[in-house]
């Protein structure tokens, strides 16, 4: 578990160093997997109708519901690896 956590922490730092900004959809995937790995299932109410960004982030996180912390970490690490290959670091 410690090794997985270390890889996850490294990936979380690396995603902030990408040379180009990923697409909105990719960023929602990054966000939702990070939240699932660190918090677990969504634990807040859905944002109001004028908070478009908040709703998109909440909806993406909600789609991860039921995924284990380890699975979310592994998927996050894999996604960041793909983004590094696509956008550079």
């Amino acid at each position: 578990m410690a090794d997985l956590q270390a890889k996850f922490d490294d990936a979380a730092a690396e995603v902030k160093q990408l040379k180009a900004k990923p697409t909105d959809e990719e960023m929602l995937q990054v966000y939702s997997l990070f939240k699932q790995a660190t918090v677990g299932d969504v634990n807040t109410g859905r944002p109001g109708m004028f908070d478009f960004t908040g709703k998109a982030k909440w909806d993406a996180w909600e789609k991860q519901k039921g995924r284990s912390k380890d699975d979310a970490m592994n998927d996050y690490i894999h996604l960041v690896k793909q983004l590094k290959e696509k956008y550079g670091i």
Side-chain angles (χ1 to χ4, degrees):
M1 177 67 184
D3 187 42
L4 178 61
Q5 183 67 51
K7 288 180 181 178
F8 177 78
D9 292 341
D10 289 346
E14 290 170 347
V15 78
K16 296 175 186 171
Q17 299 171 2
L18 295 173
K19 289 183 180 178
K21 184 180 184 293
T23 66
D24 289 344
E25 191 59 39
E26 289 167 334
M27 288 303 295
L28 285 173
Q29 236 183 327
V30 166
Y31 172 83
S32 66
L33 288 170
F34 182 86
K35 291 295 278 186
Q36 190 68 21
T38 57
V39 178
D41 287 344
V42 69
N43 60 0
T44 60
R46 191 169 190 254
M49 61 191 229
F50 294 112
D51 184 358
F52 300 111
T53 302
K55 283 194 304 186
K57 290 166 80 173
W58 190 94
D59 289 346
W61 184 13
E62 174 71 11
K63 289 178 185 173
Q64 302 298 332
K65 192 173 190 172
R67 186 181 299 242
S68 74
K69 182 176 182 173
D70 286 356
D71 285 348
M73 282 187 179
N74 280 316
D75 290 348
Y76 182 89
I77 293 163
H78 182 72
L79 175 60
V80 170
K81 182 181 176 198
Q82 288 178 325
L83 295 175
K84 286 185 341 187
E85 291 169 1
K86 184 175 181 180
Y87 296 106
I89 190 166

